Structures are given as structure tokens and as C-alpha cells.
């Protein structure tokens, strides 16, 4: 992520905290910085481990609460891959996408397909709905896990 974009998101987070009567703390800003510099889907535990490398005093609860604030502020998006762990991804710099999830190794692939988006909009219209958002998770086996299955059968 570009340094300029990070600064803009830091300012956005500070404004969100101020509007909600919350303090801008060094811990919250450190967690935000670590989060914004990572790609992918992070659990609070993973973010905690990364942030503690820079500030060993950070507690798990502080990271968890800050992630919730990041989601509430619109800087993070909560994703649930149905494996018992809630993950977060950066929201501001990403176009809408859906997820393919391997049920065995948990590998995820982000996919965007205009055909799927159009079909969802058509389906909503047919039923009188105005879409305001959606999430789609497709589960299966990735090529590597399928290859392992093929090898074990031989």
C-alpha cells in the first residue's frame, strides 16, 4: 500500500475515533499501521503476533478491540471462511471480490467476475430486491489438495 494512502487511512481512523469519543493511542495506531501494511486475511491472533514484533507490550485484547474499531470505521472488512476464525482484510483499497476456499488446506483465492456480479443483480431484480451488498464464499478442494488425493489413489 502506498505511503500516501496509509497516511490518509490513519487520518480517517483518527477522525473516526474522535467522532466516537475514543482516544487516539499509540497502540491503536501501531495496530493500524501493521494491518495496513499486510495483504490478505488476518485473524486477530495473526495480527497480534505481527504487531508484537514491533511492540511487545501489545495485548491480544487491544488488538481484537482495535480490529473491531477498524471494521466499524470502514477500514477493515470482516470475512468468515466458516472455519471458526474471523478474519479481516483491508477494505479501502480493494474492489469487490468473492472467495474460493479450500476445505482442506484453507487456501483462499480472491476472485472478481463481472458475469457473476451481473447475474446476482439480475436475480435480485427478479425478486424485487435492491442489492446493497453481498458476500460469496465458494468451498471445494484446491488443485494441490486434489493432486494429493489423486496421488494417494494410485
Amino acid at each position: 500500500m502506498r505511503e500516501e494512502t496509509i497516511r490518509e487511512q490513519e487520518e480517517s481512523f483518527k477522525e473516526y475515533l474522535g467522532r466516537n469519543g475514543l482516544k487516539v493511542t499509540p497502540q491503536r495506531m501501531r495496530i493500524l499501521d501493521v494491518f495496513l501494511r499486510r495483504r490478505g486475511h488476518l485473524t486477530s491472533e495473526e495480527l497480534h503476533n505481527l504487531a508484537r514484533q514491533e511492540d511487545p507490550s501489545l495485548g491480544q485484547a487491544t488488538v481484537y478491540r482495535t480490529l473491531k474499531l477498524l471494521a466499524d470505521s470502514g477500514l477493515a472488512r470482516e470475512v468468515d471462511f466458516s472455519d471458526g476464525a474471523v478474519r479481516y482484510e483491508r477494505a479501502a483499497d480493494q474492489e469487490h471480490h468473492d472467495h474460493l476456499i479450500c476445505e482442506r488446506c484453507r487456501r483462499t483465492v480472491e476472485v472478481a467476475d463481472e458475469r457473476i456480479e451481473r447475474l446476482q443483480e439480475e436475480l435480485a431484480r427478479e425478486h424485487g430486491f435492491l442489492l446493497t451488498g453481498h458476500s460469496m464464499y465458494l468451498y471445494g478442494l484446491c488443485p494441490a489438495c486434489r493432486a494429493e488425493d489423486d496421488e494417494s489413489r494410485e
Side-chain angles (χ1 to χ4, degrees):
M1 181 177 280
R2 293 184 1 248
E3 195 64 38
E4 180 180 318
T5 304
I6 290 174
R7 283 194 301 275
E8 290 168 1
Q9 292 191 357
E10 287 172 347
E11 287 307 310
S12 174
F13 189 53
K14 287 177 184 178
E15 290 171 12
Y16 171 82
L17 293 173
R19 281 193 312 273
N20 288 280
L22 301 168
K23 293 181 181 177
V24 175
T25 66
Q27 295 86 357
R28 286 177 174 157
M29 297 311 292
R30 170 64 62 207
I31 293 163
L32 171 63
D33 182 62
V34 172
F35 178 75
L36 291 177
R37 293 181 190 279
R38 296 292 296 196
R39 290 198 55 84
H41 309 97
L42 294 171
T43 64
S44 64
E45 292 81 14
E46 291 166 338
L47 183 58
H48 178 242
N49 291 335
L50 292 167
R52 282 189 49 122
Q53 292 173 11
E54 296 184 25
D55 182 352
S57 71
L58 285 172
Q60 175 66 38
T62 301
V63 172
Y64 177 78
R65 285 191 302 269
T66 301
L67 269 173
K68 288 292 191 189
L69 291 172
L70 291 175
D72 292 344
S73 74
L75 294 176
R77 184 178 304 118
E78 193 174 295
V79 291
D80 184 352
F81 296 152
S82 297
D83 63 351
V86 175
R87 290 176 173 76
Y88 295 85
E89 63 184 4
R90 297 185 319 216
D93 65 339
Q94 295 188 356
E95 295 291 323
H96 172 76
H97 61 271
D98 298 305
H99 298 92
L100 296 169
I101 304 160
C102 180
E103 294 177 310
R104 184 171 303 145
C105 71
R106 307 310 301 172
R107 176 178 173 234
T108 62
V109 177
E110 294 178 353
V111 295
D113 188 313
E114 281 302 313
R115 295 169 300 173
I116 293 172
E117 299 304 312
R118 279 193 307 273
L119 183 59
Q120 291 171 349
E121 290 169 10
E122 289 172 20
L123 184 63
R125 267 194 312 275
E126 288 173 14
H127 292 277
F129 277 75
L130 172 65
L131 284 184
T132 58
H134 76 275
S135 59
M136 185 170 69
Y137 302 100
L138 301 168
Y139 298 91
L141 294 177
C142 70
C145 289
R146 286 181 39 228
E148 284 178 19
D149 283 354
D150 290 346
E151 287 175 13
S152 68
R153 287 188 204 128
E154 293 176 358

